[in-house]
């Protein structure tokens, strides 16, 4: 199965998928946070040329990169 963020256009990714992934990325359970990594990567790829959107996604990546759980880092 392919991540929906890879197949959706950039606007749909950011407006509909990003808010859900944002909540997953800050969940208390590391297994839930782990699920946010792939769609956030796809969203970032689609928004890389839009600085405003990329600046909203980047802090989530940074927080996941410094996550206390080894499964997330």
């Amino acid at each position: 199965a392919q991540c929906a963020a890879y197949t959706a256009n950039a606007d749909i990714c950011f407006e509909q998928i990003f808010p859900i992934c944002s909540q997953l990325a800050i969940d208390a359970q590391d297994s839930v946070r782990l699920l946010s990594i792939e769609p956030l990567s796809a969203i970032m790829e689609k928004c890389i040329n839009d600085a405003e959107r990329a600046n909203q996604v980047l802090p989530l990546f940074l927080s996941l990169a410094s996550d206390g759980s080894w499964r997330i880092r």
Side-chain angles (χ1 to χ4, degrees):
Q2 190 176 25
C3 175
Y6 285 114
T7 58
N9 71 39
D11 290 333
I12 290 174
C13 277
F14 198 77
E15 294 167 7
Q16 296 180 13
I17 300 172
F18 178 67
I20 296 167
C21 292
S22 298
Q23 292 301 308
L24 293 175
I26 60 171
D27 195 87
Q29 295 290 319
D30 66 349
S31 58
V32 175
R33 291 191 308 274
L34 184 63
L35 295 173
S36 70
I37 296 171
E38 184 179 3
L40 283 173
S41 293
I43 293 167
M44 188 60 149
E45 287 178 24
K46 294 189 182 257
C47 297
I48 198 70
N49 294 324
D50 184 336
E52 184 178 331
R53 287 180 174 178
N55 286 334
Q56 291 181 40
V57 179
L58 186 59
L60 289 174
F61 273 110
L62 296 175
S63 70
L64 291 169
S66 62
D67 196 279
S69 173
W70 64 268
R71 294 178 67 197
I72 308 304
R73 291 186 305 256

